[in-house]
Amino acid sequence: MTALTAPPGERPVLHDHWRSSASYRVRIALNLKDVAFDRAAVDLVVGEHRRHDHLELNPQGLVPVLQIDGLVLTQSLAIIEYLEETRPGPPLLPGDHAARAHVRALALAIACDLHPVSNLAVLARVEALAGAEARAAWNRDNIAHGLQAVEAMLDHRGSTGRFCHGDRPGMADCALIPQLYNAARWQVPIDHLPRLSAIADACAFHPAFTAAHPAHFNPSREAKIVRGDSS
């Protein structure tokens, strides 16, 4: 097996870390697309993402990695786009071109702007430079400001319904819900953000979202599957 190929015709395998936001996004998307998959856990805390076998799959040393259709795919939004293109129903993007651009913008605002400065490597560097209190303050401020911007982005012509766009969950919701999980973990309130709060409520009991929740994959089994989990 090379970094760009995988055995064709086999059940998809998702290499992920249980609490990784990017992995969580892909689990939701796979569930929404009703794609059954196996999971290969990668423990970021102990550095399994830097092992030779994982680097052969993803030279960046990141998760998630999805082996599917004889391919090895990386980058969560690229994986979700691949699922959308190869398994069109149910759709994760709306049919209208302008709406599709807006949904992608919401997902990118979270995945490319908000999340990267809160990932494990960045937080570890902040703590090394300035201490644990600075790490917590950095992350809470970043999450709060990022979610405030996403709330404003949701106030957009045509952005109505129970989810980020309309009454069916899609790509933006796949990105948003893991970030709201992180907000709860870091005790960042969202009560003052009515659109985000309503979307969180809409997703809270949707089977694709509940089945993807990190609590199901926590090795210690200490997390609880409830909205507002702060484990």
Side-chain angles (χ1 to χ4, degrees):
M1 181 184 303
T2 72
L4 297 177
T5 62
E10 294 188 359
R11 183 180 169 107
V13 177
L14 179 66
H15 300 255
D16 78 341
H17 178 67
W18 68 279
R19 207 157 65 182
S20 154
S21 295
S23 299
Y24 191 176
R25 292 173 204 142
V26 174
R27 292 197 301 264
I28 295 169
L30 287 165
N31 292 340
L32 287 170
K33 291 290 189 180
D34 198 25
V35 177
F37 63 95
D38 293 323
R39 179 173 172 268
V42 180
D43 192 336
L44 302 183
V45 176
V46 301
E48 290 183 351
H49 55 301
R50 294 190 292 269
R51 294 190 327 197
H52 177 71
D53 57 344
H54 186 74
L55 291 173
E56 282 193 328
L57 294 173
N58 183 357
Q60 286 186 288
L62 301 174
V63 292
V65 175
L66 181 65
Q67 294 177 270
I68 189 170
D69 300 340
L71 302 171
V72 177
L73 305 180
T74 64
Q75 290 292 340
S76 62
L77 293 189
I79 292 171
I80 293 172
E81 290 270 11
Y82 177 83
L83 294 173
E84 178 72 354
E85 292 172 358
T86 59
R87 293 155 176 83
L92 301 181
L93 289 168
D96 175 75
H97 291 303
R100 291 165 77 90
H102 184 58
V103 168
R104 286 187 171 108
L106 287 166
L108 289 165
I110 296 167
C112 297
D113 296 328
L114 201 171
H115 170 247
V117 293
S118 289
N119 69 22
L120 190 60
V122 171
L123 294 181
R125 182 60 177 159
V126 171
E127 183 169 356
L129 290 171
E133 291 185 8
R135 169 184 175 138
W138 167 283
N139 208 29
R140 290 185 183 123
D141 287 350
N142 171 59
I143 293 172
H145 292 151
L147 291 179
Q148 184 74 52
V150 173
E151 175 81 8
M153 291 175 71
L154 286 165
D155 185 15
H156 180 272
R157 182 176 60 84
S159 296
T160 59
R162 298 170 56 233
F163 299 96
C164 286
H165 185 88
D167 289 315
R168 183 173 55 208
M171 178 186 290
D173 304 281
C174 293
L176 175 62
I177 294 305
Q179 191 58 58
L180 295 184
Y181 169 78
N182 285 339
R185 286 184 56 232
W186 287 89
Q187 300 179 333
V188 177
I190 65 166
D191 297 355
H192 62 298
L193 304 174
R195 287 299 306 275
L196 294 188
S197 296
I199 294 165
D201 289 339
C203 295
F205 299 103
H206 191 294
F209 291 84
T210 57
H213 195 285
H216 289 294
F217 310 102
N218 183 353
S220 69
R221 302 297 182 188
E222 293 175 353
K224 296 180 180 179
I225 309 174
V226 294
R227 184 179 166 213
D229 182 321
S230 59
S231 61

